[in-house]
Amino acid sequence: MLKQVALVALMGLSASAMAGQWQVKVGASSLAPSEDKNVLAGGAFENVKASQEYGFTPSVEYFFNDNFSAELLLATPFKHDVSSGGQDIASFKHLPPTLTAKYNFKNTTRFTPYIGVGATVVVPWDEKVAIEGAKLDADVAYGVAGQVGFNFQPADAKNWGVFADVRYADVKTDLTLKVDGQETNIGELKVNPWVYTIGYSYKF
């Protein structure tokens, strides 16, 4: 369902590409998983959580009019360590492309708050586990995302501005452990990250 919603939104954005304005945003983000009570492998690992990491997160935004826009968040790969009881037990890399439909509270000032809701996809790879001879596999995960933030355009700026926003995504992935040719589902890793971003924006 989330894949269909994202596809429809992207098709709509493409179809009306000549009707509004584009904005490019270049930011730095802190991705902070909020879930730290995961239980894996039937209780063998408790209080499992992914580490907080930092990354470069550009995005592309299309404005249908002054108030409504759609933003696609991109990113360089994030790499997370997964720990249980303070000890690292696994690691993985991922990309978190996120599409949100936004409402911008346009006003007479140069300060523009906004809110958004949409969908995110977590594409993991290079999964590693601290068990000799074992292989870890994490499923591609889909989730709902929310966003709140603001853009500020200085008085002497014609097209550029600065922005800051916070996103939350409801994301979890199924984990499979492969040992000696046998596969075992060891549970669900909930990440549910908060993403804090600050950066520059430029509107065409």
Side-chain angles (χ1 to χ4, degrees):
M1 180 61 180
L2 288 174
K3 289 189 288 185
Q4 294 174 336
V5 170
L7 179 60
V8 170
L10 284 173
M11 290 176 64
L13 189 155
S14 177
S16 59
M18 301 304 293
Q21 290 183 297
W22 289 95
Q23 180 170 259
V24 175
K25 298 164 75 175
V26 180
S29 296
S30 169
L31 193 156
S34 63
E35 181 61 53
D36 61 358
K37 298 186 184 303
N38 291 289
V39 177
L40 300 178
F45 299 101
E46 297 182 340
N47 298 323
V48 179
K49 63 179 181 179
S51 60
Q52 180 175 357
E53 299 297 338
Y54 303 88
F56 174 64
T57 50
S59 63
V60 178
E61 186 170 6
Y62 180 76
F63 285 81
F64 300 96
N65 53 45
D66 285 343
N67 297 110
F68 293 98
S69 64
E71 182 177 359
L72 177 62
L73 175 70
L74 305 170
T76 53
F78 285 90
K79 181 181 182 298
H80 294 272
D81 292 320
V82 179
S83 63
S84 173
Q87 182 176 3
D88 290 342
I89 60 172
S91 66
F92 67 94
K93 297 177 182 177
H94 76 95
L95 286 173
T98 303
L99 180 66
T100 52
K102 295 170 57 180
Y103 184 82
N104 301 272
F105 296 89
K106 196 70 177 178
N107 53 68
T108 57
T109 74
R110 292 178 172 270
F111 179 81
T112 306
Y114 54 79
I115 58 174
V117 64
T120 188
V121 181
V122 174
V123 184
W125 78 93
D126 197 23
E127 304 96 319
K128 297 179 181 178
V129 62
I131 301 176
E132 188 174 352
K135 183 178 179 181
L136 182 67
D137 181 65
D139 287 349
V140 174
Y142 305 92
V144 177
Q147 176 185 20
V148 60
F150 68 87
N151 192 80
F152 177 74
Q153 188 177 29
D156 59 344
K158 182 179 180 180
N159 298 95
W160 68 273
V162 294
F163 76 95
D165 63 31
V166 179
R167 299 169 187 258
Y168 176 80
D170 182 13
V171 176
K172 55 189 176 184
T173 180
D174 286 322
L175 301 179
T176 301
L177 191 65
K178 301 178 181 179
V179 182
D180 296 330
Q182 294 186 344
E183 298 185 1
T184 303
N185 188 307
I186 60 172
E188 200 173 62
L189 178 66
K190 296 179 181 179
V191 181
N192 301 340
W194 290 93
V195 182
Y196 307 95
T197 305
I198 186 170
Y200 291 95
S201 61
Y202 188 90
K203 184 177 286 189
F204 296 91

